[in-house]
Amino acid sequence: IATSRLMNRDADNRGIDLVNTDNWAFQCKRYGRKYPKLEEALEMDTDAEYKAVIHKRDYKESLVTMSLADFLKLLHEQKANRSSNTEVQ
């Protein structure tokens, strides 16, 4: 994982801040007291399977925002992986 600013100018121009993240597209934001409009942050120009925004706030724990559809897809994939792992054992 690396920052697109250093590794991939095209990705940086499309709003993607981290590269070499497989099928994920990440945008990183740092904020003071107010959060940005999340819809704008998730509108990265990418074909990545998942899009997420990492939020860093002063003196607060970092948070990750993603669409509900992507989150539910991850939950279904995790459940399927657990089922297949228990069947093999």
Side-chain angles (χ1 to χ4, degrees):
I1 297 176
T3 63
S4 60
R5 190 175 312 133
L6 297 175
M7 302 296 292
N8 186 329
R9 228 27 198 159
D10 179 56
D12 190 47
N13 291 337
R14 292 183 289 128
I16 300 167
D17 292 333
L18 300 177
V19 294
N20 302 327
T21 56
D22 295 326
N23 57 347
W24 285 83
F26 289 101
Q27 196 173 82
C28 302
K29 297 290 183 188
R30 183 177 178 152
Y31 304 101
R33 296 178 184 207
K34 295 182 180 181
Y35 280 110
K37 294 179 181 177
L38 299 178
E39 295 82 13
E40 292 176 8
L42 289 173
E43 292 177 356
M44 292 173 266
D45 181 19
T46 179
D47 291 331
E49 188 171 2
Y50 301 107
K51 296 177 186 179
V53 179
I54 301 170
H55 305 273
K56 171 71 174 115
R57 289 185 61 196
D58 295 339
Y59 311 108
K60 302 281 184 180
E61 183 178 10
S62 295
L63 301 173
V64 175
T65 301
M66 64 189 324
S67 72
L68 179 60
D70 283 352
F71 178 72
L72 292 174
K73 187 175 179 181
L74 286 172
L75 288 178
H76 289 296
E77 288 177 3
Q78 181 184 26
K79 185 177 180 181
N81 286 338
R82 278 194 201 154
S83 295
S84 65
N85 287 339
T86 57
E87 291 173 6
V88 173
Q89 296 175 355

